[in-house]
Amino acid sequence: MVTDEAARARELVSAARRLVVFTGAGVSAESGVPTFRGADGLWKSHRVEELATPEAFARDPRTVLEWYGWRRGLVSECSPNPAHLAIARFALDGRRRVTIVTQNVDGLHRRAAMTAAAELATQPGPAEPLELHGALHRDRCSGCGRRSEAVVGGSAVVRELPRCPACDALLRPDVVWFGEMLDASVLKRAFESAHEADVCLVVGTSALVYPAASIPQITARAGGIVMEINVEATPLSDVADHTVIGAAGAVLPIMLEGS
Ligand code: BJW
Ligand code: ZN
């Protein structure tokens, strides 16, 4: 029973003083955002090397921008689900230090933080995630690195390639593609939080993509507990102390609310 396992896991969570909640695409699946590697995942119908690498952008920026425009349109129709909201409320209740670290670029943790903060009449700060792979709603200049709100959105055909007003280089989505470095300061803060955590909750990720997938390993090596919530077993399940099989939106409200 999902509820029995989630209730047992809740006792461990309640006792923790410092936690990392490390999330992947599965936490947004119930909001309608497609995952990457599942049966209906984006990489089943789209070739990663033609869309999510710097080489693909250099070769065919229009195709890459149109694909990201389609994804921006899709995410703009989605809302945070009970899993995002349970995580945000948990981070804001002030009973322990929680760091939310996400691989997702969809902005739903950030939006859940705003909702939960408004409910509690507080600031969203403690529930704002470290976004390891960037943010879909932003562009970044491929020349000077300047960040801006996304220009290309929706499913429109890209007629004129967007250019930086400062240096005229092409604008690209502010996300991390394969073969690119993650933001060093964001990664450092995520690794430090993982090292200090009593518990690392790993939610809805296949835990295949590095360096992000090191995060639960860092907690485990430092003596903390790794607890996984996923609809199926993953490569992490062998090293996790506890795996709760179930949908994040069903498990997390039971596990986190009131703990
Ligand atoms: C549910 C659910 C529900 C569903 N409830 N659960 C070491 C070894 C081998 C390779 C490497 C290595 N170190 C680095 C590499 C290379 C590469 C890598 O890791 N490759 C592996 C795939 C083998 N890493 C990189 O290239 C990284 N950069 C880097 O290492 O730089 C250093 C360097 C640079 C240059 C030279 C040398 C060194 C960058 C990785 C960037 C990843 N980018 C993407 C795209 C982001 C932008 C975009 O969105 O378009 O990030 S790829 C994609 O995968 C995305 C995700 O954040 C990431 C992780 O996916 P995630 O979140 O786990 O999703 P899924 O779909 O895989 O899993 C979903 C899960 O949810 C499943 O388990 C479901 O069961 C579950 N689920 N419904 C609960 N309701
Ligand atoms: Zn520029």
Side-chain angles (χ1 to χ4, degrees), residues 25 30 36-37 68 71 103 133 176 179-180 205-206 210 230 248:
E30 291 155 84
F36 292 93
R37 295 173 185 79
Y68 277 93
R71 287 185 51 207
Q103 300 167 85
H133 293 160
V176 181
E180 292 188 313
T205 175
S206 57
Y210 283 84
N230 201 301

Side-chain angles (χ1 to χ4, degrees), residues 22 101 103 132-133 182 187 191 207 209-217:
F22 172 55
V101 180
Q103 300 167 85
L132 291 177
H133 293 160
L182 282 65
L187 188 62
F191 279 2
V209 173
Y210 283 84
S214 312
I215 284 171
Q217 298 167 9

Side-chain angles (χ1 to χ4, degrees), residues 23-30 34-38 41-43 48 51-52 67-68 71 102-105 133-134 136 175-182 203-212 228-234 246-249:
T23 70
V27 78
S28 296
E30 291 155 84
T35 63
F36 292 93
R37 295 173 185 79
L42 290 170
W43 298 156
V48 57
L51 295 165
W67 189 64
Y68 277 93
R71 287 185 51 207
T102 189
Q103 300 167 85
N104 299 345
V105 298
H133 293 160
L136 206 49
V175 299
V176 181
W177 286 325
F178 280 109
E180 292 188 313
M181 301 293 222
L182 282 65
V203 186
T205 175
S206 57
L208 289 171
V209 173
Y210 283 84
E228 181 183 37
I229 297 102
N230 201 301
V231 288
E232 61 186 31
T234 73

Side-chain angles (χ1 to χ4, degrees), residues 112-222:
M114 304 289 282
T115 304
E119 284 168 3
L120 296 165
T122 185
Q123 296 301 313
E128 279 174 358
L130 296 174
E131 295 174 320
L132 291 177
H133 293 160
L136 206 49
H137 70 87
R138 285 195 308 263
D139 276 336
R140 187 171 83 240
C141 173
S142 58
C144 68
R146 206 166 89 154
R147 291 185 161 93
S148 51
E149 277 303 297
V151 169
V152 180
S155 52
V157 172
V158 175
R159 291 185 204 286
E160 204 172 324
L161 294 174
R163 291 190 176 273
C164 174
C167 77
D168 205 41
L170 289 183
L171 298 182
R172 52 161 286 180
D174 188 17
V175 299
V176 181
W177 286 325
F178 280 109
E180 292 188 313
M181 301 293 222
L182 282 65
D183 182 298
S185 70
V186 173
L187 188 62
K188 180 168 179 277
R189 284 162 64 199
F191 279 2
E192 282 170 359
S193 305
H195 190 263
E196 291 165 1
D198 311 318
V199 171
C200 181
L201 285 185
V202 184
V203 186
T205 175
S206 57
L208 289 171
V209 173
Y210 283 84
S214 312
I215 284 171
Q217 298 167 9
I218 291 171
T219 300
R221 273 202 299 274

